[in-house]
Amino acid sequence: MKIGIIGAGAIGGTLTRKLAALGHEVKVSNSRAPETLSELAAETGAQAVWNTEAAQDADLVIVSIPQKNTPDLPSNIVESAKPGAPIIETNNYYPQQRDGLIADIEGGKPESVWVAEHLGSRADDVVKVFNGIYWKHLLSSGVPKGEEGRIALPVAGADGAGKSLVFDVVDALGFDPVDAGTLAESWRQHPGTPVYGKDYDADGVKKALAEATQERTAEWRA
């Protein structure tokens, strides 16, 4: 599968390593020039590219950048992906810690809906996953399907082939995908919710998602 990754930080870099190791053809980019990713490319076999090239002809695109940088992305940055290719976004809104105030999100708009709106015509392809797992656990804690204690990850997005593909990717990485509803319901996995940062199994994730409320705690408000 052809996979384009926009963002090479903790999560983006980890997914580059894991997906390349599974044999996928990975293109990875950051906000700078491709040569700044030469070490990651040499380590993984992924191709370092400009961020405007990462999604070209991709079967899957992953956007993993600081929330505040989303509006700086070119408006057509994911347009060149294959029709129907899912666009995974892993971002979190950290107003006090990093991002500053984003009025729409403070006003109640789910973080992933806000991101999707900045991705133009591919908004309906956006799927939320990988935002709540510690990157070191993403790197090393995946286990085969059926193994006791397998970590589960919530996946929010529109039902269809794209979401099914994301389920398959999560499973291949060694985690149980759990349907977390639509993108509009992705607030259930925001920072501060019961599922965020936890390594629950599938039953634990389902319970935590059900217990979530839309009210942001003080730590996660601007």
Side-chain angles (χ1 to χ4, degrees), residues 93 101-110 214 216:
Y93 174 50
L101 186 149
I102 298 175
D104 283 347
I105 296 177
E106 289 287 335
K109 183 173 290 184
Q214 287 184 272
R216 291 183 178 275

Side-chain angles (χ1 to χ4, degrees), residues 16 35 39 48 93 97 117 159 161 168-169 212 215:
T16 298
E35 53 264 29
E39 290 186 8
Y93 174 50
Q97 299 84 353
E117 290 175 352
D159 290 338
D168 291 343
V169 169
E215 183 179 359

Side-chain angles (χ1 to χ4, degrees), residues 197-213:
K198 305 297 194 301
D199 289 338
Y200 292 141
D201 63 10
D203 288 339
V205 166
K206 291 173 185 176
K207 182 175 184 291
L209 290 171
E211 292 173 349
T213 67

